[in-house]
Amino acid sequence: MQLGMIGLGRMGGNIVRRLLRDGHTAVVFDQNPEAVKALVEAGAVGADSLEDFVSKLDVPRAAWVMLPAGAITEATVKALSGLMQADDVIIDGGNSFYGDDVRRAGELKDRSIHYVDVGTSGGVWGLERGYCMMIGGDKAAVDRLDPVFATLAPGIGDIPKTPGRDGRDPRAEQGYIHAGPSGAGHFVKMIHNGIEYGLMQAYAEGFDILKHADSEALPPERRFDLNLGDIAEVWRRGSVVSSWLLDLTASALATDEKLEDYSGYVEDSGEGRWTINAAIEESVPATVLSNALYRRFRSREDASYADKMLSAMRKGFGGHQEPKKS
């Protein structure tokens, strides 16, 4: 299947590479000509403008926008939609606010252009591991794009089947779902990232306590000089708290147990805030997720070892490089 991709950064470029590897074709565009050139060398068709990009797509077109959420995505979707026609599909695979998806879908519906939002998780590892996708949009458009989603998804792999799922949508076991109408995909991804904040904070605080187990504030007989790298490693193997985030933690501690390469200044991408806003609107208590977000705010004033641990995990899954403190 052919797919157009606008935005060839850490994830957009690798999404194209994964598709090409499985026999799909791609038309690519980015403001950086070198990024386009690299994908052309991998087998994609390059474009030097949005107009050129749209002209090279087969009708009905499918164009995926993979850009930072906010003004740049808004402007790109608007410009792209002006060049598209009825039955074409515009896909936003970034971390956009789900309310923007609902609005855009409504605006495009009047022109019979489909709008699909894809909450995409996989970070810099997606090329090899695949991407977990939470998809919003009308059924006809989502079904049409299924060959693309099936290639990008991780597949069932060696994860055991969940008992009791007989008769349910098999796509979930492959690593992607049609969550509902436009906006539903990014809503589910938003909550996913809110949970991610909480999980990361729990690991970070736990390892901070372990690190300070030799504190002089403790009686000598209760002080322990613990090997944090070994603890992370043993927890990866059979423990109830094992996870990919713990894998990334173990990897970071194996090479830098003091985490001296990390400032402890922890950014938030916006979805944590949107998650808390949704919880408030729904009158749902979200004490852990709220605290995890506020702790990130606090890290920008006074970083701890736990904050450095958060930075290490963010770099591990997403390639995020936290700014150094002044």
Side-chain angles (χ1 to χ4, degrees), residues 28-48:
V28 298
F29 173 64
D30 193 282
Q31 294 293 339
N32 179 4
E34 291 303 311
V36 175
K37 180 181 177 182
L39 268 298
V40 169
E41 291 173 354
V45 175
D48 57 18

Side-chain angles (χ1 to χ4, degrees), residues 27-201:
V27 179
V28 298
F29 173 64
D30 193 282
Q31 294 293 339
N32 179 4
E34 291 303 311
V36 175
K37 180 181 177 182
L39 268 298
V40 169
E41 291 173 354
V45 175
D48 57 18
S49 68
L50 273 182
E51 292 78 7
D52 186 35
F53 171 81
V54 172
S55 73
K56 291 177 176 176
L57 291 172
D58 299 334
V59 177
R61 304 173 184 88
W64 185 309
V65 178
M66 200 66 174
L67 296 168
I72 186 170
T73 291
E74 187 72 29
T76 302
V77 170
K78 183 176 181 179
L80 182 61
S81 67
L83 301 169
M84 304 283 260
Q85 63 187 41
D87 210 30
D88 289 347
V89 184
I90 295 177
I91 307 150
D92 179 7
N95 284 328
S96 291
F97 178 57
Y98 74 94
D100 291 335
D101 296 314
V102 174
R103 171 179 51 79
R104 292 174 194 152
E107 293 168 351
L108 294 175
K109 185 176 181 180
D110 293 339
R111 298 175 48 207
S112 298
I113 296 174
H114 304 280
Y115 181 90
V116 173
D117 54 290
V118 182
T120 312
S121 181
V124 296
W125 300 88
L127 176 60
E128 299 304 326
R129 289 173 60 104
Y131 300 90
C132 174
M133 292 168 291
M134 297 135 271
I135 305 159
D138 66 84
K139 185 177 185 302
V142 173
D143 288 350
R144 184 197 305 174
L145 294 165
D146 192 73
V148 167
F149 299 139
T151 286
L152 295 178
I156 196 165
D158 57 1
I159 299 174
K161 281 183 169 288
T162 301
R165 280 198 55 86
D166 294 345
R168 291 176 175 263
D169 189 341
R171 292 176 294 185
E173 294 179 327
Q174 299 297 320
Y176 67 109
I177 59 169
H178 182 193
S182 295
H186 277 147
F187 184 85
V188 175
K189 177 58 161 51
M190 176 185 77
I191 304 305
H192 164 283
N193 282 28
I195 292 171
E196 178 185 288
Y197 280 33
L199 291 172
M200 291 172 68
Q201 188 65 33

Side-chain angles (χ1 to χ4, degrees), residues 302-317:
D302 183 21
S304 66
Y305 184 82
D307 299 322
K308 293 183 179 183
M309 181 68 70
L310 293 174
S311 290
M313 282 186 270
R314 292 188 84 238
K315 183 178 181 181
F317 66 73

